[in-house]
Amino acid sequence: MPQRIDLLTKIIEAYDHLGVVSTIDSGSGLVIIRGSEDTIPEIKEILNNLPFPVEVLNLDETILPAPVKARE
């Protein structure tokens, strides 16, 4: 959902140098969050505590970007 993508982007950007959100498909809510190996734990913590559910697709513990989909 585009509204959730906007909120997710604002949340991630609020943390300086944590990661960059890029939209893959706004209609389905699919984005990529680009970060570094050092920021993966913090990004995962944020994603687990968002005010809406997200699904992390194909996350490798050491490789970003990982597609993230905002669920309805």
Side-chain angles (χ1 to χ4, degrees):
M1 300 185 74
Q3 307 91 330
R4 291 190 174 157
I5 291 173
D6 185 53
L7 180 57
L8 174 63
T9 301
K10 288 177 180 175
I11 290 170
I12 296 298
E13 287 179 352
Y15 294 87
D16 287 336
H17 310 292
L18 183 64
V20 176
V21 180
S22 298
T23 303
I24 296 174
D25 181 5
S26 62
S28 68
L30 191 61
V31 300
I32 284 181
I33 301 175
R34 290 179 174 86
S36 68
E37 187 175 334
D38 294 341
T39 63
I40 291 172
E42 193 169 354
I43 291 171
K44 287 172 59 176
E45 183 69 25
I46 291 167
L47 294 176
N48 288 331
N49 291 290
L50 289 172
F52 53 88
V54 297
E55 179 182 358
V56 179
L57 308 173
N58 300 322
L59 175 64
D60 181 299
E61 291 298 319
T62 61
I63 299 173
L64 284 178
V68 175
K69 184 173 184 178
R71 297 182 297 179
E72 295 185 38

